[in-house]
Amino acid sequence: GAVVSQHPSRVICKSGTSVKIECRSLDFQATTMFWYRQFPKKSLMLMATSNEGSKATYEQGVEKDKFLINHASLTLSTLTVTSAHPEDSSFYICSARDRRGGAGRIGELFFGEGSRLTVL
Amino acid sequence: GDSVTQMEGPVTLSEEAFLTINCTYTATGYPSLFWYVQYPGEGLQLLLKATKADDKGSNKGFEATYRKETTSFHLEKGSVQVSDSAVYFCALRDDKIIFGKGTRLHILP
């Protein structure tokens, strides 16, 4: 089946530094990728939707200057947590929609394995 | 706005027991409904889906029926196995995907 790869799977950084997380669709092209944040014992929260070649659409309450999203190609989206702080520590998950879904159909979503960020 | 409510866990069952994880939703449109599963140490995987009322999604012995009249999409399995231990997320998708909080399932041998 389709595979979405996230890297790194775990990252520990110092407060004030920036961290980049990559999301790649390995065997399909994804016009749309989504970034989620998972809080302990809580649901997945959609942070933003990124479309290849255009600016990401951020959900209400998500700081676009803090969580920079770039979708430079049909197989790669990146999330950069800038000037990270301990409260940014979380599990970040990306998903990619197979572009073969087509107009009027919902292309299946495939999820990465997540990246656990710990900010000291 | 749209939302998904699923039963809180953890749910602990013995092997071969019957499983039900309740899920209800509110939506202004006509969403598609999904169950995702997250096995320990792995990412989310689509378990099953239903795109319209009365559709039944099924996979790996799990079933869920899209009930518009009760706005529900309960997950069921007749006989669970230890390997079913995971976190299960109910989700709906209208213009964006919205997840429930997840239900952790423990199956005891």
Side-chain angles (χ1 to χ4, degrees), chain B residues 13-42:
Chain B
L13 297 172
S14 297
E15 204 165 23
E16 298 183 4
F18 184 86
L19 168 72
T20 300
I21 300 178
N22 290 336
C23 171
T24 56
Y25 67 91
T26 57
T28 52
Y30 299 93
S32 293
L33 301 175
F34 306 81
W35 276 100
Y36 287 88
V37 58
Q38 188 174 27
Y39 296 103
E42 299 184 16

Side-chain angles (χ1 to χ4, degrees), chain A residues 36 43 59 106 108-109 111, chain B residues 36 46 93 96-97 99-100:
Chain A
Y36 301 86
S43 183
E59 294 300 303
I106 300 176
E108 188 168 350
L109 274 181
F111 287 81
Chain B
Y36 287 88
L46 178 64
R93 190 158 79 205
K96 57 189 175 187
I97 191 164
F99 290 88

Side-chain angles (χ1 to χ4, degrees), chain B residues 7 10-21 62 77-82 84-85 104-109:
Chain B
M7 62 189 292
V11 174
T12 303
L13 297 172
S14 297
E15 204 165 23
E16 298 183 4
F18 184 86
L19 168 72
T20 300
I21 300 178
F62 290 89
K77 185 173 185 180
S79 177
V80 292
Q81 306 299 313
V82 173
D84 294 326
S85 298
R104 186 174 297 279
L105 175 65
H106 293 292
I107 305 300
L108 304 175

